[in-house]
Amino acid sequence: MLHNWQARFSLHMNILLLVFIFVIGTTNAFGHGGHRIIGRMVWIMMNKHTRNQLIKLYGTKQIFIKFSSWPDLIKADMAWRWTFKYHFINAEDDPPVYCGLYGADTTGDNLLTGIEHFRNQPQSVESLSFLIHLLGDLHQPLHITAKDHGGTRKMVDFMGRKVSLHLLWDTALLRHLAKGMGEEAFALSLLREHTIKNIEIDDIAASVREWAHQTSMLNCQIVFNPNAGFDKQTAEVKRQLFLAANRITRILEIMLSE
């Protein structure tokens, strides 16, 4: 049964929330913008019943959106350090030669088991925020591969400066695409460009693993492919943001259907 989020959080968590809203709300940097943009699309796409259930937990749309990037903010905190490995898979692939979920442990701490862990927790701001966030990470190709330490050790040229491949896909391409636009306007533009699908899911865990495999293949097709041009990269960033939102929406609708 769902309860108001304020009754579910300790004093420590309430203080953390206030600090979190202040810090994120007073910065102009995109930083964790990808997750917030996904959250904005989810809020628009979900059905009325699911939105009402989330309002009971989060209170407002803005708090829901801000919490979509919260797991990244707190993962370095010692109290939350145990969640750190849940943000990536570290598949033993070798893009662009071959890609896939080779060596992906189905029992240890990784993105796949993290999603399962929070999906099976009592529904709360904490568990749903992690679930939404990790499903977003699942659609960033460099959160899947162990190659070059998830792309953090591979430097590339972008707009006249050197950035890591991971930073390019996490932040730089998104900032470039959304330049001059607010997050809400950019989210709406993604919804106009793509077709929302009513996704059929019989087994959430199986679907999540298949989505992870699909994301991993992008490391061979585009991310580490020297022949994939800038247009393909930017188009794929937009597509992955939309796919994440569409799939998260469907999972939330299933989980909050009662």
Side-chain angles (χ1 to χ4, degrees), residues 119 198-208 211 246-252 254:
R119 183 171 72 83
N198 183 21
I199 304 167
E200 294 295 331
I201 299 177
D202 295 321
D203 183 324
I204 292 178
S207 293
V208 166
W211 298 338
N246 199 174
R247 290 164 174 173
I248 291 168
T249 299
R250 184 62 188 131
I251 286 179
L252 290 177
I254 292 170

Side-chain angles (χ1 to χ4, degrees), residues 55-204:
I55 288 172
K56 292 178 183 179
L57 283 167
Y58 290 87
T60 69
K61 170 186 175 181
Q62 287 307 113
I63 293 177
F64 172 78
I65 290 168
K66 291 178 189 299
F67 262 98
S68 64
S69 60
W70 171 70
D72 270 344
L73 185 73
I74 51 87
K75 66 185 178 184
D77 188 309
M78 288 304 296
W80 294 94
R81 191 67 179 173
W82 61 276
T83 68
F84 183 80
K85 290 185 179 180
Y86 284 161
H87 292 262
F88 50 86
I89 291 179
N90 278 346
E92 297 171 4
D93 53 4
D94 187 24
V97 181
Y98 63 92
C99 290
L101 301 181
Y102 300 100
D105 190 351
T106 58
T107 59
D109 291 344
N110 61 50
L111 187 47
L112 295 174
T113 58
I115 289 170
E116 271 300 283
H117 172 78
F118 287 107
R119 183 171 72 83
N120 290 306
Q121 295 300 302
Q123 291 165 6
S124 65
V125 168
E126 177 185 314
S127 62
L128 288 180
S129 296
F130 262 100
L131 177 64
I132 291 165
H133 182 93
L134 296 181
L135 285 167
D137 282 346
L138 190 80
H139 290 79
Q140 208 280 52
L142 290 162
H143 280 255
I144 307 299
T145 182
K147 180 73 174 282
D148 295 323
H149 207 258
T152 59
R153 296 175 181 171
K154 180 177 178 61
M155 303 304 292
V156 296
D157 292 311
F158 179 70
M159 300 295 177
R161 64 190 183 100
K162 291 282 188 180
V163 299
S164 73
L165 188 61
H166 193 102
L167 181 63
L168 178 70
W169 280 79
D170 245 8
T171 305
L173 287 173
L174 178 58
R175 284 180 176 173
H176 173 78
L177 288 167
K179 188 176 182 179
M181 303 173 67
E183 291 180 6
E184 187 78 7
F186 185 62
L188 289 171
S189 73
L190 292 177
L191 292 175
R192 286 193 295 268
E193 289 180 26
H194 300 86
T195 302
I196 299 172
K197 296 182 179 179
N198 183 21
I199 304 167
E200 294 295 331
I201 299 177
D202 295 321
D203 183 324
I204 292 178

